């Protein structure tokens, strides 16, 4: 019988995947397996995959080809979004792949391993429904200062380019008591900052018609958890950003003034083709209202350039709106069709060269606007949650409430605490300051 001692897990994609990897790791550690940081040392290799971008899928396929040549006697498994949308295809294409584990089956990992050991067959466990028991399973966290908490899984929006509703299923909100319990549990372990996770956190509670607790209510409840100093959330669909949510952001002491509200495009024609269900005017109106309530709020976005039929005029509209809003963080991607999405039926008719030109143009604008913003931050005093020692081993690194990175010299004993830092300068995307 195969003896298993160690495992290696590689995570691709979003924070939800990172949290899922922590859940899987905790399960495996309960079986007395040791997590290792090099795949060569592992008896089990797990790839927790992402299907949002083509590049991410290619990386996983490359890894699977690599293992095909040199598997040794390791157990190889795939979980995450590629497990959901390519299941049988992957098992067929890679006969050396031992298992496929769905995003709703994280707690089945040990059962799968037992089956592989006993039967020596390829195993697959994929349920389309929300996993029973996951609400009360608290993963062990590697980071001792910040942790993510899943509050809603799945998505009901069906944006035309996105595979997530197929890979993660429909929205299911987690019970609020279980969320509060996990936040308190984390606070007792010394965690200072929590990030509430979901594909669309601001539709929390809408899938439970009898529940009176919606996302702003949940924020009010979490704000009362002793020991938690900061609350963030990610990600939000602009259509569900309500006035109540913006007021909660303004009024709750622990909820940080940083929001990630993906705009995706600034042309109504493209937004419609993306099935984003808002117009650029509507989006801008919400952003302006938010800025009027919280003048120092920082805003992040995702942008896709080169969506099918994006004309120069459409891109100009995106460019102008991007410049007007002056985003503080931006993930800008060149469009690539994802299999089984509505947009994959559209003609991918923007050349790669043009996609890259548009992407670079937006990136240049982003960095220009960021420089102006950082110039204005010089001379301000910022509250920083000290997260770790910097690579130079001399200074400490942390983040402001509004999510800027800060570097300053101080005693490592301050890691894990909130400090006030006088901002003196900046370099690339990091503020440099002095401890007050
Ligand atoms: S809101 Fe749209 S982009 Fe976000 S996960 Fe749902 S379908 Fe995908």
């Amino acid at each position: 019988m195969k003896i298993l001692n160690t495992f290696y897990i590689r995570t691709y994609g979003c924070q939800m995947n990172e949290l899922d990897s922590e859940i899987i790791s905790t399960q495996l550690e309960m079986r007395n397996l040791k997590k290792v940081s090099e795949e060569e040392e592992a008896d089990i290799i797990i790839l927790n995959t992402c299907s949002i971008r083509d590049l991410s899928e290619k990386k996983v396929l490359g890894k699977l080809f690599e293992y095909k040549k040199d598997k040794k006697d390791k157990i190889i498994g795939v979980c995450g979004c590629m497990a959901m949308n390519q299941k049988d295809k992957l098992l067929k294409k890679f006969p050396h792949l031992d298992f496929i584990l769905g995003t709703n089956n994280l707690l089945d990992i040990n059962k799968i391993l037992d089956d592989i050991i006993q039967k020596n067959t390829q195993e697959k466990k994929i349920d389309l429904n929300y996993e029973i028991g996951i609400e009360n399973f608290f993963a062990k966290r590697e980071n001792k200062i910040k942790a993510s908490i899943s509050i809603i899984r799945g998505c009901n929006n069906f944006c035309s380019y996105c595979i997530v509703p197929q890979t993660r299923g429909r929205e299911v909100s987690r019970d609020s008591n279980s969320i509060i319990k996990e936040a308190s549990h984390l606070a007792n372990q010394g965690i200072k900052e929590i990030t509430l996770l979901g594909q669309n956190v601001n539709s929390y509670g809408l899938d439970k018609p009898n529940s009176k607790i919606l996302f702003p209510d949940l924020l009010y409840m979490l704000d009362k958890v002793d020991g938690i100093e900061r609350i963030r959330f990610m990600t939000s669909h602009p259509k569900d950003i309500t006035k109540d949510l913006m007021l909660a952001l303004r009024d709750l002491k622990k909820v940080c003034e940083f929001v990630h509200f993906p705009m995706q495009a600034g042309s109504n024609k493209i937004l419609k083709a993306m099935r984003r269900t808002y117009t650029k005017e509507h989006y801008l109106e919400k952003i302006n209202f938010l800025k009027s309530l919280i003048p120092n709020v920082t805003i992040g976005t995702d942008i896709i350039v080169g969506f099918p039929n994006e004309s120069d005029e459409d891109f100009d509209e995106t460019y102008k709106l991007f410049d007007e809003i002056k985003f503080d963080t931006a993930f800008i991607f060149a469009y690539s069709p994802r299999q089984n999405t509505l947009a994959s039926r559209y003609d991918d008719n923007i050349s790669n060269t043009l996609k890259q030109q548009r992407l670079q143009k937006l990136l240049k604008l982003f960095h220009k606007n960021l420089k102006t913003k950082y110039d204005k931050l010089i001379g301000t005093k910022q509250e920083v949650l000290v997260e770790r020692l910097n690579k130079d081993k001399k200074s400490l690194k942390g983040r402001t409430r509004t999510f800027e990175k800060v570097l300053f010299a101080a005693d490592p004993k301050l890691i894990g605490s909130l400090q006030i830092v006088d901002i003196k300068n900046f370099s690339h995307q990091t503020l440099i300051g002095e401890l007050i």
Side-chain angles (χ1 to χ4, degrees), residues 149-190:
I149 300 181
S150 159
I151 64 161
I152 180 168
R153 286 183 178 252
C155 182
N156 292 356
N157 287 312
F158 289 94
C159 301
S160 65
Y161 52 85
C162 182
I163 190 71
V164 166
Q166 275 103 295
T167 59
R168 294 265 174 188
R170 297 299 88 76
E171 287 168 2
V172 183
S173 301
R174 181 175 168 188
D175 178 66
S176 58
N177 292 322
S178 155
I179 297 170
I180 303 296
K181 217 164 134 192
E182 183 162 24
S184 306
H185 169 79
L186 291 169
N188 289 337
Q189 294 184 335

Side-chain angles (χ1 to χ4, degrees), residues 99-163:
F99 71 89
I100 291 276
L101 184 73
T103 51
N104 286 318
N105 298 90
L106 305 178
L107 303 185
D108 290 321
I109 179 76
N110 281 321
K111 166 90 178 61
I112 284 245
L113 290 176
D114 289 339
D115 289 347
I116 292 170
I117 293 168
Q118 276 167 25
K119 300 188 256 169
N120 201 19
T121 49
Q122 278 190 319
E123 296 293 327
K124 179 179 80 176
K125 185 83 180 127
I126 291 187
D127 288 334
L128 294 177
N129 296 327
Y130 187 67
E131 185 163 17
I132 296 166
I134 193 89
E135 302 213 322
N136 301 315
F137 185 81
F138 300 162
K140 197 177 109 197
R141 309 309 211 277
E142 282 185 13
N143 190 316
K144 302 295 173 220
I145 295 158
K146 309 194 298 182
S148 303
I149 300 181
S150 159
I151 64 161
I152 180 168
R153 286 183 178 252
C155 182
N156 292 356
N157 287 312
F158 289 94
C159 301
S160 65
Y161 52 85
C162 182
I163 190 71

Side-chain angles (χ1 to χ4, degrees), residues 123-328:
E123 296 293 327
K124 179 179 80 176
K125 185 83 180 127
I126 291 187
D127 288 334
L128 294 177
N129 296 327
Y130 187 67
E131 185 163 17
I132 296 166
I134 193 89
E135 302 213 322
N136 301 315
F137 185 81
F138 300 162
K140 197 177 109 197
R141 309 309 211 277
E142 282 185 13
N143 190 316
K144 302 295 173 220
I145 295 158
K146 309 194 298 182
S148 303
I149 300 181
S150 159
I151 64 161
I152 180 168
R153 286 183 178 252
C155 182
N156 292 356
N157 287 312
F158 289 94
C159 301
S160 65
Y161 52 85
C162 182
I163 190 71
V164 166
Q166 275 103 295
T167 59
R168 294 265 174 188
R170 297 299 88 76
E171 287 168 2
V172 183
S173 301
R174 181 175 168 188
D175 178 66
S176 58
N177 292 322
S178 155
I179 297 170
I180 303 296
K181 217 164 134 192
E182 183 162 24
S184 306
H185 169 79
L186 291 169
N188 289 337
Q189 294 184 335
I191 294 286
K192 296 286 189 309
E193 178 178 305
I194 53 171
T195 300
L196 309 177
L197 287 188
Q199 268 73 37
N200 188 18
V201 286
N202 44 5
S203 56
Y204 177 82
L206 295 175
D207 56 305
K208 293 190 166 37
N210 296 328
S211 169
K212 294 202 168 48
I213 300 170
L214 298 180
F215 187 51
D217 308 307
L218 184 68
L219 290 176
Y220 278 91
M221 291 161 80
L222 285 164
D223 200 63
K224 295 197 184 91
V225 175
D226 286 338
I228 296 296
E229 307 275 4
R230 286 181 171 185
I231 301 170
R232 302 188 188 277
F233 54 86
M234 158 137 351
T235 230
S236 312
H237 193 297
K239 78 171 168 49
D240 296 322
I241 300 166
T242 59
K243 189 173 169 197
D244 282 350
L245 172 59
M246 297 198 231
L247 292 174
L249 264 163
R250 183 193 65 182
D251 296 339
L252 294 173
K253 203 171 134 269
K254 295 180 183 176
V255 178
C256 294
E257 301 82 7
F258 168 73
V259 288
H260 185 76
F261 289 165
M263 175 176 104
Q264 304 296 8
S267 140
N268 286 339
K269 180 187 103 186
I270 298 298
L271 285 170
K272 195 168 176 206
M274 288 177 164
R275 295 183 49 154
R276 289 293 285 174
T277 66
Y278 53 84
T279 59
K280 69 171 183 180
E281 290 80 11
H282 198 194
Y283 182 84
L284 188 59
E285 197 183 306
K286 288 194 178 189
I287 296 290
N288 285 340
F289 182 64
L290 182 64
K291 284 183 174 175
S292 73
L293 285 179
I294 312 165
N296 70 329
V297 71
T298 56
I299 300 165
T301 190
D302 297 338
I303 301 282
I304 299 174
V305 294
F307 193 77
N309 300 323
E310 183 188 63
S311 63
D312 287 345
E313 292 72 30
D314 294 321
F315 176 71
D316 279 352
E317 288 188 64
T318 300
Y319 187 88
K320 281 190 190 127
L321 195 57
F322 190 91
D323 195 23
E324 182 172 351
I325 293 172
K326 311 230 179 311
F327 290 106
D328 300 272

Side-chain angles (χ1 to χ4, degrees), residues 365-376 426:
L365 175 64
F366 173 67
H367 289 297
K368 184 179 132 241
N369 290 341
L370 214 54
K371 186 177 173 311
T372 312
K373 168 189 141 168
Y374 282 169
D375 276 332
K376 285 190 194 148
F426 66 91

Side-chain angles (χ1 to χ4, degrees), residues 6-12 17-29 34-49 63 67 75 77-80 99 101 106 109 142:
T6 51
F7 72 95
Y8 168 87
I9 184 159
R10 181 181 283 235
T11 310
Y12 300 82
N17 263 15
E18 278 168 24
L19 178 58
D20 286 353
S21 288
E22 289 185 315
I23 293 174
I24 294 171
S25 298
T26 309
Q27 288 279 315
L28 295 175
E29 283 168 357
K34 186 169 169 270
K35 187 172 184 175
V36 291
S37 52
E38 301 297 329
E39 51 196 336
E40 294 75 29
E41 297 167 11
D43 298 319
I44 308 166
I45 296 179
I46 300 173
L47 304 179
N48 192 5
T49 61
K63 272 278 157 205
Y67 301 143
I75 290 180
V78 167
C79 49
F99 71 89
L101 184 73
L106 305 178
I109 179 76
E142 282 185 13

Side-chain angles (χ1 to χ4, degrees), residues 59-75:
K59 282 185 189 165
V60 171
L61 295 175
K63 272 278 157 205
L64 291 173
F65 275 116
E66 211 178 281
Y67 301 143
K68 197 173 183 176
K69 282 187 229 139
D70 188 18
K71 184 187 178 194
K72 303 205 176 79
D73 55 354
K74 297 177 192 301
I75 290 180

